[in-house]
């Protein structure tokens, strides 16, 4: 089990973060000036930290297991500017919908390094993927085997696939982000896995290359991987003996943790890489298999720590002896994770970054829900209307799960590097909300 000491607040922010003249700077940009220029709520991605994170993943896994591919799980956040940046890093890409697939296509991402996941892919989505020449379809159920066989046959192609298995392992994370347990909508149960292998091997337009499992996220310990890997590789060896199945590729999924709060720092990438690659090598040797290609799927662990959200303080409400609420101009509309997953965050006042924390407050959003709380009971400097709150570790899942609840506008996103800020996505307008309506 990984153990680590509490980290400092600034360590949770992107690597280029600095405090200068009482202000928070990221990527050489003053966060207060960014808020004034682009408005709030505002999401800020640090390009340098993002690129360094990709290289770190490639190095830690590639140095231990040369035949490996790091695939960014784009469900964590994707848009065309981000995918354009990632395609030059040499990482692969996981997609789970026709929309994510279309973004990858629009950015010119190499299709051979794209993996298509999902428990209910439509015929139209599969046609889109096969026609594009997608590298792998990760097949989730028996219906998909027959549907994908039909699609590939109609196009006169043979599609490479992996089978997603549900190994029945408790990852000891939030129940809503546990995906490898028996009671999950994802993947073939191990009791049905042999039948899935047989069906895939019999499909003339499908080429079964390997097995995939995703246990859940975020995983702070490697024990779930160490339990799943022998189980899955023993199954592969059994399928080799019984049916001639050759395991050419194997993926234990992703789920790697990031640091959200100081008292629970995430392990380094090397911790996961060493455990996973060592377990695969040891089990392959025991099972008489050849070393398969390894794919891992970090999403949160690529983008999560490399972005922050900026909010502007508005009204406050002091309930003596109970709590002081301080409202900001965002909330559950742009970050649903606290009410949905009980997610915990830290915060810093970007225009009072050096000032002592003397007041306990609860940061709440502007939405018409009592559960619209971003951070409960956090110590900050005294707050006034107009102050800028900076929340770290906001790069994953906040943006793609954002909504237009209360007819609110989804925030702008900027990319910072060497003192320059570039829009990655403009802020929505009220006209955007109206333009899609028909009457």
């Amino acid at each position: 089990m990984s153990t680590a000491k509490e980290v400092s607040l600034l360590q949770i922010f992107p690597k280029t973060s600095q405090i200068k003249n009482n202000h928070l700077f990221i990527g050489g940009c003053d966060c207060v000036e960014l808020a004034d220029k682009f408005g709030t709520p505002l999401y800020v991605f640090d390009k340098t930290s993002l690129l360094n994170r990709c290289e770190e993943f490639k190095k830690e896994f590639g140095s231990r297991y040369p035949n490996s591919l790091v695939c960014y799980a784009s469900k964590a956040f994707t848009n065309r500017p981000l995918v354009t940046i990632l395609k030059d890093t040499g990482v692969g890409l996981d997609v789970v919908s026709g929309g994510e697939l279309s973004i990858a296509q629009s950015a010119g991402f190499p299709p051979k390094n794209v993996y298509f996941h999902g428990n209910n892919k439509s015929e139209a989505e599969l046609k889109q993927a096969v026609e594009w020449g997608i590298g792998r379809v990760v097949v989730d159920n028996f219906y998909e085997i027959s549907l994908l066989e039909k699609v590939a046959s109609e196009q006169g192609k043979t599609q490479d696939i992996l089978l997603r298995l549900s190994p029945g392992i408790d990852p000891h994370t939030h129940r809503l982000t546990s995906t490898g347990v028996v009671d999950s909508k994802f993947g073939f149960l191990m009791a049905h896995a042999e039948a899935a292998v047989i069906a895939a091997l019999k499909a003339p337009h499908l080429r079964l290359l390997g097995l995939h499992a995703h246990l859940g996220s975020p995983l702070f310990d490697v024990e779930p991987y160490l339990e799943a890997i022998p189980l899955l590789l023993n199954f592969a060896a059994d399928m080799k003996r019984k049916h001639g199945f050759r395991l050419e590729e194997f993926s234990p999924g992703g789920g790697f943790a990031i640091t959200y709060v100081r008292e629970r720092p995430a392990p380094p990438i090397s911790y996961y890489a060493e455990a996973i690659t060592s377990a695969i090598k040891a089990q392959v040797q025991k099972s008489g298999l050849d070393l398969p290609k390894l794919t891992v799927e970090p999403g949160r662990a690529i983008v999560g720590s490399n972005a922050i959200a900026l909010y502007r303080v508005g009204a406050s409400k002091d309930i003596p002896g109970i709590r002081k609420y301080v409202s900001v101009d965002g909330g559950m509309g742009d970050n649903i994770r606290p009410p949905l997953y009980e997610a915990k965050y830290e915060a810093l006042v970007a225009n009072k970054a050096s000032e002592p924390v003397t007041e306990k407050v609860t940061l709440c959003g502007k939405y018409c829900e009592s559960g619209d709380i971003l951070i409960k009971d956090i110590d900050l400097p005294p707050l006034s209307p107009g102050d800028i709150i900076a929340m770290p570790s906001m790069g994953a899942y906040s943006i793609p799960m954002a909504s237009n609840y209360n007819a609110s506008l989804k925030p702008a996103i900027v990319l910072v590097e060497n003192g320059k800020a570039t829009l990655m996505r403009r802020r929505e307008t009220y006209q955007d909300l109206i333009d899609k309506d028909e009457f």
Side-chain angles (χ1 to χ4, degrees), residues 69-100:
L69 177 66
V70 174
C71 285
Y72 170 64
S74 62
K75 66 175 183 171
F77 163 59
T78 189
N79 73 352
R80 187 162 48 83
L82 178 66
V83 175
T84 300
I85 293 169
L86 291 176
K87 77 176 182 181
D88 295 326
T89 66
V91 303
L93 194 69
D94 284 350
V95 299
V96 297
S97 70
E100 291 180 359

Side-chain angles (χ1 to χ4, degrees), residues 16-306:
T16 63
S17 300
Q18 296 176 295
I19 294 175
K20 296 190 294 185
N21 302 320
N22 207 24
H23 281 200
L24 174 66
F25 282 71
I26 294 178
C29 294
D30 185 332
C31 289
V32 178
E33 292 180 2
L34 291 176
D36 290 340
K37 179 177 179 180
F38 295 101
T40 51
L42 180 68
Y43 279 72
V44 181
F45 277 84
D46 177 30
K47 185 176 181 180
T48 298
S49 297
L50 175 66
L51 293 176
N52 287 346
R53 192 68 165 172
C54 291
E55 288 303 312
E56 187 179 4
F57 259 102
K58 288 166 55 183
K59 175 186 174 184
E60 295 297 347
F61 278 92
S63 63
R64 293 171 170 86
Y65 202 106
N67 188 19
S68 62
L69 177 66
V70 174
C71 285
Y72 170 64
S74 62
K75 66 175 183 171
F77 163 59
T78 189
N79 73 352
R80 187 162 48 83
L82 178 66
V83 175
T84 300
I85 293 169
L86 291 176
K87 77 176 182 181
D88 295 326
T89 66
V91 303
L93 194 69
D94 284 350
V95 299
V96 297
S97 70
E100 291 180 359
L101 187 62
S102 296
I103 291 170
Q105 289 178 287
S106 74
F109 202 91
K112 65 182 178 65
N113 285 339
V114 179
Y115 288 60
F116 193 8
H117 292 255
N119 68 299
N120 192 31
K121 308 176 189 72
S122 70
E123 184 171 355
E125 288 173 324
L126 290 173
K127 285 181 178 178
Q128 179 185 359
V130 174
E131 185 176 292
W132 187 38
I134 199 164
R136 308 283 188 272
V137 175
V138 183
V139 174
D140 205 90
N141 49 67
F142 289 104
Y143 170 69
E144 189 179 342
I145 291 177
S146 60
L147 184 60
L148 183 57
E149 167 61 26
K150 173 178 176 288
V151 168
S153 174
E154 289 174 348
Q155 295 193 22
K157 294 183 177 180
T158 299
Q159 177 61 52
D160 291 338
I161 67 169
L162 307 180
L163 293 181
R164 177 167 181 170
L165 305 185
S166 184
I169 290 170
D170 184 357
H172 305 295
T173 186
H174 194 284
R175 62 180 180 82
L176 295 182
T177 56
S178 298
T179 57
V181 294
V182 170
D183 188 4
S184 170
K185 71 176 186 177
F186 296 106
F188 295 94
L189 295 174
M190 294 308 297
H192 304 150
E194 182 172 1
V197 169
I198 293 170
L201 290 174
K202 286 183 177 179
H205 295 88
L206 305 182
R207 182 164 47 238
L208 177 58
L209 297 183
L211 304 176
H212 170 278
H214 181 60
L215 304 175
S217 67
L219 304 185
F220 282 81
D221 299 310
V222 295
E223 280 78 5
Y225 301 106
L226 300 183
E227 188 177 349
I229 288 169
L231 187 154
L232 294 168
L233 293 181
N234 276 334
F235 170 76
D238 193 36
M239 293 303 97
K240 178 182 179 182
R241 288 189 297 270
K242 288 183 176 180
H243 307 292
F245 166 57
R246 184 182 169 213
L247 183 73
E248 297 183 42
E249 190 165 331
F250 175 70
S251 176
F256 312 118
I258 64 168
T259 302
Y260 284 104
V261 290
R262 283 173 282 184
E263 62 267 22
R264 197 179 188 193
I269 298 169
S270 58
Y271 171 70
Y272 298 104
E274 180 62 30
I276 289 171
T277 59
S278 296
I280 292 172
K281 291 174 185 177
Q283 193 59 45
V284 160
Q285 190 172 27
K286 287 181 184 178
S287 304
L289 297 169
D290 295 327
L291 276 175
K293 177 182 178 180
L294 168 65
T295 59
V296 292
E297 303 166 354
R300 179 197 321 266
I302 292 282
V303 295
S305 298
N306 300 317

Side-chain angles (χ1 to χ4, degrees), residues 359-393:
E359 188 173 52
K360 187 180 294 295
V361 300
T362 288
L363 294 176
C364 60
K366 61 179 290 183
Y367 295 88
C368 195
E369 295 285 341
S370 295
D372 181 24
I373 304 295
L374 286 172
I375 307 177
K376 187 176 181 180
D377 295 335
I378 183 172
D379 294 322
L380 293 172
L383 295 173
S384 303
D387 284 342
I388 303 299
I389 300 293
M391 287 177 55
S393 300

Side-chain angles (χ1 to χ4, degrees), residues 298-378:
R300 179 197 321 266
I302 292 282
V303 295
S305 298
N306 300 317
I308 68 166
L310 299 176
Y311 301 102
R312 194 175 295 274
V313 170
S316 63
K317 176 183 179 179
D318 197 353
I319 307 173
I322 298 178
R323 182 167 287 111
K324 181 175 183 179
Y325 290 95
V326 175
S327 299
V328 299
D329 55 359
M332 65 186 292
D334 67 273
N335 184 10
I336 193 67
R337 293 188 70 252
L340 183 61
Y341 298 131
E342 301 174 331
K344 308 297 183 185
Y345 286 93
E346 300 279 4
L348 184 150
V349 185
N351 58 303
K352 299 177 178 178
S354 302
E355 297 183 16
V357 294
T358 58
E359 188 173 52
K360 187 180 294 295
V361 300
T362 288
L363 294 176
C364 60
K366 61 179 290 183
Y367 295 88
C368 195
E369 295 285 341
S370 295
D372 181 24
I373 304 295
L374 286 172
I375 307 177
K376 187 176 181 180
D377 295 335
I378 183 172

